[in-house]
Amino acid sequence: MSVLPHHGGWGKFLAGLKWVVVDEAHTYRGVFGAHMAYALRRLKRLCAHYGSEPRFIFLSATIANPGEFCARLLGDWGRTGSHHRRGDAGPRGARVAGQRARAGELPAARG
């Protein structure tokens, strides 16, 4: 049974919802993005109906304007409240003279 059209059966869950994590947010553009925006906004309204105000977390590695983009998806015009991380936070290998080292080519430890 889906959540949005049958929210009566999901009331307890929606009342306690604290986090909504949306992965690959950069793909939500065009018609698919419009559908996703309507679904997220409806979820947000239903949560408010049941007394919760979950925090929405959008994940994307390739988006230039995360605050504006996510505010538009949620319909929060003028209120971004975004806390986004700039740069790459992923793990990386050692660097040799400004270039990534290949496996087995790590520099000798200095002692």
Side-chain angles (χ1 to χ4, degrees):
M1 171 168 48
S2 58
V3 176
L4 298 180
H6 305 285
H7 61 86
W10 292 86
K12 188 174 180 180
F13 173 79
L14 293 169
L17 191 61
K18 294 182 192 263
W19 307 95
V20 176
V21 180
V22 180
D23 196 11
E24 300 295 338
H26 63 275
T27 62
Y28 304 132
R29 298 183 181 275
V31 174
F32 182 61
H35 287 283
M36 191 65 179
Y38 287 126
L40 290 171
R41 292 172 193 179
R42 186 166 180 200
L43 176 62
K44 196 168 115 175
R45 281 194 310 273
L46 286 173
C47 287
H49 174 76
Y50 289 101
S52 69
E53 193 175 328
R55 180 167 290 188
F56 287 79
I57 301 170
F58 293 89
L59 307 174
S60 176
T62 57
I63 193 164
N65 54 347
E68 177 189 345
F69 182 79
C70 296
R72 291 181 68 194
L73 271 177
L74 286 176
D76 289 340
W77 309 105
R79 190 192 112 189
T80 61
S82 68
H83 300 283
H84 55 274
R85 178 165 173 74
R86 295 248 182 237
D88 182 3
R92 36 175 106 220
R95 293 187 178 259
V96 177
Q99 297 179 353
R100 288 190 195 272
R102 294 188 188 119
E105 295 180 358
L106 297 177
R110 296 183 188 181

